[in-house]
Amino acid sequence: MLWLLIAVVGAVVRTRHSPSPAARLETWQRWWAGAALGGGSAWLVVAFLVVPDEMAATIGFARTPFEFEIAFANLALAVLAFHAASASATTRERVLVGLGASMFLWGAVIGHVHQWFAAGNHQPGNTGGILIYDVLAPAVLIALALRAQRLSTADKPLDRSLVA
């Protein structure tokens, strides 16, 4: 949850004097991609590689090679998220990064909820803030990017040559 908070605080502070709604939205997208999704994913890379036994215990599982795989899945998310946070990232790329992250993270949510009810697994890494993070990190990135896409489309004048 810390990474979500960092993204919100960073975006709020940076947008206090934004010149336009588009500038505010760009700042929010960059902070959300970089801090919420990128920072959170990078943190998980380090945690799953450095202290895999503790991470497995926090989730409520025994240690397996799965922790190594999760580390590198999160590395892919971090790299994509940091690109989405860059000034060169397009709205389309941000939507794509959000969709890719949602496939992995929302699948994880399904697994966590299944373990919660099927196995009674109430470990903090299974039913705690991770559920909120896994849902919100990609959902907000997608929503912000789609809002930016609508805003940029609304600002463009209609090309009369396309109208019969």
Side-chain angles (χ1 to χ4, degrees):
M1 297 290 292
L2 175 65
W3 297 103
L4 302 179
L5 181 63
I6 290 169
V8 169
V9 170
V12 166
V13 168
R14 295 290 294 160
T15 58
R16 287 180 303 172
H17 305 293
S18 287
S20 69
R24 277 191 298 281
L25 190 53
E26 175 68 16
T27 300
W28 271 92
Q29 289 181 90
R30 293 177 73 181
W31 271 93
W32 196 264
L37 185 57
S41 296
W43 174 253
L44 287 171
V45 171
V46 172
F48 275 107
L49 289 177
V50 174
V51 288
D53 293 329
E54 289 79 359
M55 290 302 293
T58 298
I59 298 169
F61 294 133
R63 168 94 188 275
T64 67
F66 180 67
E67 288 77 29
F68 186 78
E69 294 172 17
I70 291 298
F72 281 89
N74 276 286
L75 179 60
L77 288 182
V79 168
L80 291 170
F82 292 141
H83 171 70
S86 72
S88 65
T90 66
T91 300
R92 184 180 214 150
E93 289 172 321
R94 288 177 176 149
V95 170
L96 186 60
V97 169
L99 289 173
S102 72
M103 291 176 202
F104 174 65
L105 295 174
W106 294 348
V109 167
I110 292 168
H112 289 299
V113 171
H114 174 75
Q115 286 297 311
W116 180 0
F117 290 104
N121 182 345
H122 299 285
Q123 291 293 89
N126 190 62
T127 59
I130 193 66
L131 291 176
I132 296 167
Y133 176 86
D134 284 357
V135 169
L136 287 182
V140 171
L141 182 59
I142 293 167
L144 290 169
L146 290 174
R147 175 70 181 128
Q149 187 174 42
R150 281 192 292 275
L151 186 63
S152 71
T153 306
D155 289 344
K156 291 182 182 175
L158 179 63
D159 182 354
R160 296 290 177 195
S161 67
L162 299 176
V163 179

